[in-house]
């Protein structure tokens, strides 16, 4: 790493300000409070170019891979440059990195556990990052580019990420894609009238909103309605709100949820034209304590289209679940 990049080192055990504050916030997310490779609690190390948090044992294996593959730093002892922190934040942490590096992890190939033997731990980590066995071959990243952002993991969605765009080609288009969202159904929704509710769903992305029809007196409504939203270049989460329709008063909220679009768009941009690929899994949004997923949400190519089924537990409400299907279409 150049001297310029290390000219303003930041130690994380000093008072956290600026970019160090952002890294500290990233560390506190629940999926980053365990090791990305073995799920051991309270990781004290990280690979800054891969963008994952690691325990001591897995960190030792990463260090043995060499800095061109994994640049291992202590979260409490080492100096972190601005570029080290930028790389971690750009990837987004364990869930985002694992959604790429473990997208094709076979069910019969379990991840190591905190107490797994070093031999198995080493074999898994080398397969995951060095030979990249769990990525599609066309997505495999050159090991020589470990510290070069143009070839690192975060460059997969560099042009369409909601974070840094310093390497993206200039493009003045306001929108980069379209989402076709099928609101499939709700289950066990909350009562807001005497014995039932009249629910409808509102989806929001940026300044755009789309709404389903109202289902009268139904706590388990089936919509199967398709709503369309354009994806802006600086996209954020897709927001879902469920309301109870009232004729003579303001509509009551029946819960809400946020859908992280980055795993889907990252995978879609990496694979290009989905019509050229057979049906396959290409990504995953992991369920964590910080999100409203009921289970991991898989991103697939199906019949030449990029699709993702999402099962959500509504937040800030006593009960309710929602099922959606997302379909991505890139604007050329």
């Amino acid at each position: 790493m150049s001297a310029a990049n290390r000219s303003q080192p930041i130690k994380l055990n000093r008072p956290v300000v600026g970019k160090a504050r952002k890294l500290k916030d990233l560390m506190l997310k629940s999926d980053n409070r365990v090791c990305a490779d073995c799920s051991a609690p309270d990781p004290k190390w990280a690979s800054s170019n891969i963008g994952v948090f690691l325990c001591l044992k897995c960190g030792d294996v990463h260090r043995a891979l060499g800095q061109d593959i994994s640049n291992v730093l202590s979260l409490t002892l080492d100096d972190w440059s601005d570029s080290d922190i930028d790389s971690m934040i750009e990837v987004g942490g364990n869930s985002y990195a694992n959604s790429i590096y473990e997208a094709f992890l076979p069910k019969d190939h379990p991840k190591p556990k905190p107490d797994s033997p070093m031999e198995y731990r080493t074999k898994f980590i080398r397969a995951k990052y060095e030979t990249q066995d769990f990525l599609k071959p066309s997505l495999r990243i050159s090991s020589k580019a470990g510290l070069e952002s143009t070839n690192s993991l975060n460059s997969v969605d560099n042009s369409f990420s909601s974070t840094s765009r310093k390497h993206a080609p200039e493009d003045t288009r306001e929108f980069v894609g379209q989402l076709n969202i099928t609101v499939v159904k709700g289950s066990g929704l909350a009562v807001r009238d005497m014995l039932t509710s009249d629910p409808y769903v509102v989806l929001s992305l940026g300044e755009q909103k789309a709404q389903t029809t109202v289902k009268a007196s139904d706590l388990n409504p089936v919509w199967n309605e398709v709503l369309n939203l354009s994806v802006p270049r600086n996209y954020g989460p897709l927001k879902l709100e469920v309301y109870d329709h009232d004729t003579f008063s303001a509509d009551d909220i029946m819960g809400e949820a946020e859908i992280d679009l980055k795993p889907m768009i990252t995978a879609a941009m990496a694979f290009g034209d989905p019509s050229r690929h057979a049906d396959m899994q290409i990504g995953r949004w992991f369920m964590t304590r910080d999100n409203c997923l009921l289970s991991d949400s898989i991103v697939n190519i199906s019949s030449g289209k990029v699709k993702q089924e999402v099962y959500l537990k509504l937040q800030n409400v006593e009960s309710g679940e929602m099922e959606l299907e997302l379909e991505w279409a890139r604007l050329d």
Side-chain angles (χ1 to χ4, degrees):
M1 185 173 291
S2 68
N5 283 341
R6 306 220 38 116
S7 60
Q8 294 182 335
I10 300 173
K11 276 193 175 182
L12 297 182
N13 58 344
R14 296 174 181 170
V16 286
V17 295
K19 291 185 177 181
R21 174 75 263 174
K22 293 181 180 180
L23 180 58
K24 182 72 172 179
D25 291 342
L26 186 66
M27 292 166 53
L28 294 176
K29 291 187 175 181
S30 61
D31 53 312
N32 296 328
R33 297 175 73 175
V34 298
C35 176
D37 294 332
C38 75
S39 299
D42 196 23
K44 292 294 192 294
W45 299 83
S47 172
S48 64
N49 59 315
I50 294 175
V52 293
F53 295 89
L54 304 166
C55 69
L56 177 61
K57 293 178 181 178
C58 291
D60 285 344
V61 179
H62 275 252
R63 192 176 291 105
L65 298 178
Q67 194 179 53
D68 60 334
I69 295 177
S70 186
N71 184 42
V72 180
L73 294 170
S74 168
L75 294 172
T76 57
L77 302 175
D78 286 331
D79 289 339
W80 283 66
S81 71
D82 284 357
S83 61
D84 293 331
I85 296 175
D86 286 342
S87 181
M88 290 291 297
I89 294 172
E90 199 167 7
V91 172
N94 292 350
S95 289
Y96 291 122
N98 284 344
S99 71
I100 299 295
Y101 281 101
E102 296 179 5
F104 292 88
L105 180 65
K107 292 183 179 180
D108 60 353
H109 197 308
K111 296 179 64 169
K113 298 179 180 180
D115 58 352
S116 290
M118 187 58 72
E119 181 180 0
Y120 184 76
R121 187 187 307 267
T122 300
K123 181 180 179 181
F124 177 85
I125 291 173
R126 288 175 65 92
K128 180 176 176 180
Y129 300 106
E130 187 174 48
T131 59
Q132 299 170 357
D133 291 351
F134 314 134
L135 276 79
K136 180 178 171 61
S138 62
L139 295 184
R140 289 176 182 165
I141 304 160
S142 169
S143 63
K144 300 297 184 182
L147 299 177
E148 298 174 13
S149 61
T150 54
N151 287 319
S152 66
L153 172 63
N154 55 42
S155 73
V156 171
D157 68 332
N158 192 34
S159 297
F160 298 90
S161 167
S162 55
T163 53
S164 172
R165 303 182 201 286
K166 59 187 177 181
H167 299 294
E170 185 175 352
D171 193 330
T172 58
R173 292 179 301 173
E174 182 180 1
F175 299 105
V176 297
Q178 178 172 302
L179 279 178
N180 304 318
I181 307 114
T182 302
V183 180
V184 180
K185 65 180 180 179
S187 303
L189 300 184
V191 173
R192 287 294 179 267
D193 297 327
M194 290 295 293
L195 297 173
T196 185
S197 297
D198 304 319
Y200 65 92
V201 176
V202 176
L203 297 177
S204 305
L205 184 60
E207 300 299 318
Q208 304 170 84
K209 289 183 181 291
Q211 178 180 320
T212 68
T213 59
V214 176
K215 294 294 184 180
S217 302
D218 197 343
L219 299 180
N220 298 287
V222 176
W223 280 282
N224 283 320
E225 295 180 19
V226 180
L227 305 179
N228 307 114
L229 294 170
S230 297
V231 179
R233 178 163 292 279
N234 295 303
Y235 64 87
L238 174 65
K239 297 182 179 181
L240 177 148
E241 296 170 304
V242 182
Y243 288 92
D244 170 47
H245 175 69
D246 287 318
T247 303
F248 301 108
S249 61
D251 293 350
D252 299 316
I253 188 73
M254 296 174 61
E256 58 190 351
E258 287 193 351
I259 300 169
D260 189 348
L261 299 177
K262 189 173 181 180
M264 182 183 201
I265 297 177
T266 296
M269 298 309 304
F271 274 78
D273 183 357
S275 65
R276 299 181 179 181
H277 299 282
D279 290 0
M280 66 178 74
Q281 177 184 325
I282 62 172
R284 187 185 314 179
W285 178 25
F286 288 89
M287 180 185 70
T288 72
R289 287 175 292 178
D290 289 332
N291 61 39
C292 52
L293 283 177
L294 288 166
S295 59
D296 288 356
S297 179
I298 307 301
V299 182
N300 292 304
I301 291 178
S302 177
S303 301
K305 298 182 182 297
V306 176
K307 298 182 178 182
Q308 180 178 3
E309 293 183 347
V310 183
Y311 299 90
L312 304 168
K313 180 176 178 60
L314 293 174
Q315 306 295 296
N316 303 318
V317 69
E318 57 269 29
S319 65
E321 299 176 0
M322 290 294 302
E323 178 182 343
L324 286 78
E325 182 178 282
L326 279 58
E327 181 182 304
W328 161 262
R330 178 176 176 177
L331 297 181
D332 295 323

